[in-house]
């Protein structure tokens, strides 16, 4: 029962290409997040969203943008991919209705930029 | 900004032994959570401990929290080869950043059969 689905497990793109990473959750969660994970650096927050059409910058938003047109979908956009954006990208969602912010993660999207 | 720092970075033990991982953080928190990640996959939530709690158990997992030292530990008892994974602590600082978790760099655990 997959609850957070990332559309691509592996992508290979060229420098300068526009890249879309899609994430869909079926739990009616209000919060959605994009992290990137790099060896030795752990998980770093790129962008997050608390509601439809709403977005907040995380710790490393440069070079990225996001879109949340529907509650269940949160897209990460690399306008012009660069080699330093080669990474594992993790999408997550959560709800605060249970009183604690527990994240449910997708399986990850490993992006290679050549 | 990385709030959590984990220690050790890597840990190798034999099946049946206990594994202890530590996490330190810098600011006040609402709660602290531990996640597990199998190689190349997403993270899975293991356990949450609130700032007013000192210890919590879930199966073979035991988590402690010392808010005065700003530290937490995760103990896995009677480890199994299937416990081999990376383990991350994450802090929820609440406030106007409610909903945002800050992750540590993780401890890579290897359990040898």
């Amino acid at each position: 029962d997959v609850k957070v689905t990332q559309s691509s497990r592996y992508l290979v793109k060229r420098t300068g290409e526009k890249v879309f990473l899609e994430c869909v959750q079926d739990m009616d969660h209000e919060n959605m997040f994009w992290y990137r994970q790099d060896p030795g650096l752990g998980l770093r927050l790129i962008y997050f969203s608390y509601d439809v059409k709403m977005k907040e910058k995380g710790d490393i938003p440069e070079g990225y943008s996001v879109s949340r047109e529907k509650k269940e979908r949160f897209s990460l956009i690399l306008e012009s991919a660069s080699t330093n954006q080669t990474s594992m990208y993790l999408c997550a969602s959560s709800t605060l209705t249970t009183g604690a912010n527990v994240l449910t993660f997708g399986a990850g999207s490993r992006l290679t930029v050549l | 900004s990385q709030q959590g720092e984990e220690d050790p970075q890597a840990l190798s033990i034999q099946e049946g032994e206990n594994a202890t991982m530590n996490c330190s953080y810098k600011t006040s928190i609402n709660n602290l959570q531990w996640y597990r990640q199998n190689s190349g996959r997403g993270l899975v939530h293991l356990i949450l401990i609130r700032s007013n709690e000192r210890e919590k158990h879930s199966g073979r997992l035991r988590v402690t929290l010392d808010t005065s030292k700003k530290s937490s530990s995760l103990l896995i008892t009677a480890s199994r080869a299937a416990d081999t994974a990376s383990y991350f602590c994450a802090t929820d600082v609440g406030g106007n950043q409610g909903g945002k978790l800050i992750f540590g760099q993780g401890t890579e655990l290897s359990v040898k059969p």
Side-chain angles (χ1 to χ4, degrees), chain B residues 21 32-34 46-50 53-58 60-66 71-76:
Chain B
M21 289 159 266
L32 185 144
Q33 303 175 32
W34 286 89
L46 293 176
I47 193 167
L48 178 152
I49 187 165
R50 299 183 190 276
E53 297 175 312
R54 292 297 167 257
E55 187 170 314
K56 204 159 184 183
H57 296 255
S58 176
R60 293 184 296 113
L61 304 181
R62 173 179 169 250
V63 171
T64 60
L65 179 66
D66 186 335
S71 67
S72 174
S73 66
L74 171 68
L75 169 67
I76 304 174

Side-chain angles (χ1 to χ4, degrees), chain B residues 12-83:
Chain B
S12 182
I13 58 174
Q14 295 293 131
E15 236 179 358
E17 294 180 341
N18 295 341
T20 300
M21 289 159 266
N22 304 296
C23 170
S24 60
Y25 56 92
K26 298 174 183 174
T27 64
S28 296
I29 59 172
N30 278 356
N31 64 71
L32 185 144
Q33 303 175 32
W34 286 89
Y35 288 78
R36 166 195 168 125
Q37 183 182 36
N38 284 41
S39 180
R41 307 295 295 183
L43 281 71
V44 175
H45 178 257
L46 293 176
I47 193 167
L48 178 152
I49 187 165
R50 299 183 190 276
S51 60
N52 61 353
E53 297 175 312
R54 292 297 167 257
E55 187 170 314
K56 204 159 184 183
H57 296 255
S58 176
R60 293 184 296 113
L61 304 181
R62 173 179 169 250
V63 171
T64 60
L65 179 66
D66 186 335
T67 53
S68 66
K69 295 181 179 178
K70 293 186 169 57
S71 67
S72 174
S73 66
L74 171 68
L75 169 67
I76 304 174
T77 60
S79 63
R80 305 165 183 169
D83 294 327

Side-chain angles (χ1 to χ4, degrees), chain A residues 9 33 35 37 40-45 48 50 59 88 90 99-103 105-107, chain B residues 1-2 31 33 35 37 40-43 45 48 50 88 92 97-101 103-105:
Chain A
R9 288 281 287 132
F33 306 83
Y35 288 87
Q37 183 178 22
L41 297 177
L43 276 75
R44 293 180 291 166
L45 183 62
F48 56 107
Y50 292 147
D59 298 318
M88 169 72 106
L90 294 166
N101 182 43
V102 172
L103 299 189
F105 280 85
Chain B
S1 58
Q2 292 297 325
N31 64 71
Q33 303 175 32
Y35 288 78
Q37 183 182 36
R41 307 295 295 183
L43 281 71
H45 178 257
L48 178 152
R50 299 183 190 276
F88 294 85
D92 183 345
Q97 299 187 71
K100 174 181 170 180
L101 291 189
F103 285 82
Q105 296 179 4

Side-chain angles (χ1 to χ4, degrees), chain A residues 10-95:
Chain A
Y10 300 95
L11 303 94
V12 179
K13 298 292 182 181
R14 296 205 174 273
T15 301
E17 280 192 77
K18 191 169 186 177
V19 181
F20 292 88
L21 298 179
E22 306 285 345
C23 176
V24 177
Q25 50 94 5
D26 64 1
M27 297 168 286
D28 200 35
H29 283 175
E30 63 271 21
N31 306 324
M32 295 190 75
F33 306 83
W34 276 106
Y35 288 87
R36 68 176 278 177
Q37 183 178 22
D38 302 285
L41 297 177
L43 276 75
R44 293 180 291 166
L45 183 62
I46 305 171
Y47 268 98
F48 56 107
S49 169
Y50 292 147
D51 201 352
V52 176
K53 296 191 186 295
M54 174 274 168
K55 60 185 178 184
E56 293 278 349
K57 291 180 180 179
D59 298 318
I60 52 163
E62 297 77 20
Y64 303 93
S65 62
V66 290
S67 172
R68 193 160 181 207
E69 295 296 318
K70 294 185 177 181
K71 188 176 185 179
E72 67 270 19
R73 187 179 298 269
F74 192 37
S75 303
L76 180 68
I77 303 155
L78 288 67
E79 293 289 343
S80 178
S82 63
T83 55
N84 62 13
Q85 292 178 311
T86 291
S87 186
M88 169 72 106
Y89 290 88
L90 294 166
C91 175
S93 70
S94 73
T95 179

